[in-house]
Amino acid sequence: MARKHSKHGPYEDLHREEEAPAEVLSCWLCGRPTGKTIVWHHPIPKSRGGRDTVPMHPICQQTLTVNFTNSELQRHGMDVEGLLAHPSVRKFVDWVANKDPDFTASISKKQR
């Protein structure tokens, strides 16, 4: 059955206050502001009991999953400095520092 009246009044949209801009989050790994796409990453993997999430760029999360196993990520926990001490992660963060927040590229798999 159709409604007789709309859910909103006829003038409700005219007097709508300007919405406050959304808070810009910083990436947990590289520190750059996040773009349109935000990945909520578990620093301690869920399979290892991790519950906390942090905002990251998709490319930054891919870098972590390529360079570390779940057990290595569990050992580092919330310690970003420990992750940045890894040479390939440091090289990546230095490279991506001047890129656009929505920048994306393919990440090559680590040779194990």
Side-chain angles (χ1 to χ4, degrees):
M1 178 175 223
R3 294 183 180 176
K4 291 184 181 181
H5 304 285
S6 75
K7 288 180 8 180
H8 307 287
Y11 301 107
E12 190 170 315
D13 291 336
L14 296 176
H15 300 292
R16 179 182 289 175
E17 294 181 24
E18 292 295 318
E19 294 179 13
E23 180 183 347
V24 177
L25 301 172
S26 294
C27 178
W28 182 70
L29 183 65
C30 70
R32 297 179 302 136
T34 55
K36 293 178 184 174
T37 306
I38 300 173
V39 175
W40 291 94
H41 174 73
H42 290 85
I44 301 171
K46 285 174 61 175
S47 64
R48 306 292 178 157
R51 295 183 187 270
D52 297 333
T53 58
V54 293
M56 289 181 75
H57 297 106
I59 193 169
C60 293
Q61 185 197 31
Q62 290 170 1
T63 300
L64 288 185
T65 57
V66 164
N67 289 297
F68 298 102
T69 63
N70 281 350
S71 58
E72 290 171 331
L73 288 173
Q74 179 185 10
R75 277 184 251 138
H76 285 288
M78 297 292 285
D79 179 29
V80 177
E81 297 304 319
L83 296 171
L84 292 174
H86 191 275
S88 56
V89 174
R90 171 50 61 194
K91 182 178 176 182
F92 165 79
V93 170
D94 292 342
W95 172 74
V96 82
N98 297 324
K99 306 286 188 222
D100 183 59
D102 289 317
F103 174 78
T104 154
S106 60
I107 304 293
S108 60
K109 292 262 185 188
K110 179 181 176 183
Q111 298 295 323
R112 295 192 185 249

